[in-house]
Amino acid sequence: MIDMGGAKSFGYRDPASFAASTSQPKGSEKITQAVSQAYFDNPKTGQIGCQGEAHKKLGGDAELALFVLLQDLRSEALSAAHKDSRVKSVTSKWSACMKSAGFDYPDPAAPAHDRSLLGRGLPTPPGATLPPPSPAEIAVAVADVTCKRQTQYLQTIALVSAAYQQEIIVRQAQRLQDAQHKEKQEVDAAKSA
């Protein structure tokens, strides 16, 4: 949670999903089975849907390979950042701030996964999968945002992560260029086909 307005209104919930569970906006009806069958491949029958047809025509897996590579490198940078002494220090400061507010969490990922905050006795509205945010969940989310601001947690993790990303980009430059080049070749080949 990084937004005080969102913390006060939605706790740790995604405002979009919270709104969807309480009132369906126009045009958000569920996908029909016929549309789903037309779009997705059916491995049982061997029927190829629109998605499979597009993949067949465009060919290649370079786009997926590039996406996976970028996700792996992003994960590597974030993992390195969380092991960095600057992030460990600001995480400890955040945890101490939360403790002084009456909440005991080791790191900023913990409160959002604290299932004891979900609902806390509030009834689940018809059609919703979760009860609305409880006063306890909102209190923790507000304290979380306050502590992140006081300790400059987000700025610290962003700067440290960016530094590790830059190191990885330099170290993996050839691999990134090769993946990008392969993707461009596959797109060009699909265009000329």
Side-chain angles (χ1 to χ4, degrees):
M1 180 56 51
I2 61 171
D3 172 50
M4 186 60 79
K8 289 179 178 178
S9 299
F10 304 108
Y12 286 96
R13 314 298 172 85
D14 175 16
S17 66
F18 180 71
S21 69
T22 57
S23 65
Q24 288 273 346
K26 194 169 186 157
S28 67
E29 296 81 19
K30 290 187 176 187
I31 295 174
T32 65
Q33 186 175 2
V35 170
S36 180
Q37 288 174 344
Y39 181 77
F40 295 105
D41 297 343
N42 185 337
K44 290 180 183 175
T45 64
Q47 179 183 358
I48 296 176
C50 297
Q51 180 185 40
E53 284 293 326
H55 184 72
K56 217 166 58 172
K57 287 182 181 173
L58 294 175
D61 293 319
E63 182 180 1
L64 178 60
L66 182 57
F67 174 78
V68 169
L69 172 61
L70 292 175
Q71 293 297 74
D72 288 348
L73 297 179
R74 190 175 290 127
S75 178
E76 181 183 334
L78 195 56
S79 178
H82 281 289
K83 294 174 187 171
D84 189 282
S85 62
R86 296 165 289 187
V87 172
K88 286 182 177 182
S89 174
V90 78
T91 300
S92 292
K93 290 175 186 173
W94 174 90
S95 184
C97 177
M98 289 294 284
K99 190 168 265 206
S100 72
F103 308 109
D104 190 14
Y105 293 104
D107 59 61
H113 299 290
D114 183 353
R115 298 200 51 81
S116 72
L117 294 176
L118 290 178
R120 286 295 264 280
L122 297 175
T124 302
T129 56
L130 293 173
S134 67
E137 180 179 346
I138 289 172
V140 172
V142 167
D144 181 6
V145 172
T146 300
C147 290
K148 283 176 181 166
R149 288 179 178 176
Q150 286 178 0
T151 62
Q152 295 189 326
Y153 178 83
L154 296 173
Q155 295 90 326
T156 302
I157 195 142
L159 290 170
V160 173
S161 294
Y164 282 107
Q165 288 171 1
Q166 288 299 321
E167 283 180 22
I168 290 169
I169 289 169
V170 169
R171 190 169 19 96
Q172 298 286 345
Q174 187 62 52
R175 192 171 169 202
L176 288 164
Q177 288 171 358
D178 291 346
Q180 187 177 25
H181 179 71
K182 185 174 179 181
E183 180 186 28
K184 184 179 180 332
Q185 283 180 318
E186 286 186 5
V187 169
D188 290 345
K191 283 180 185 177
S192 64

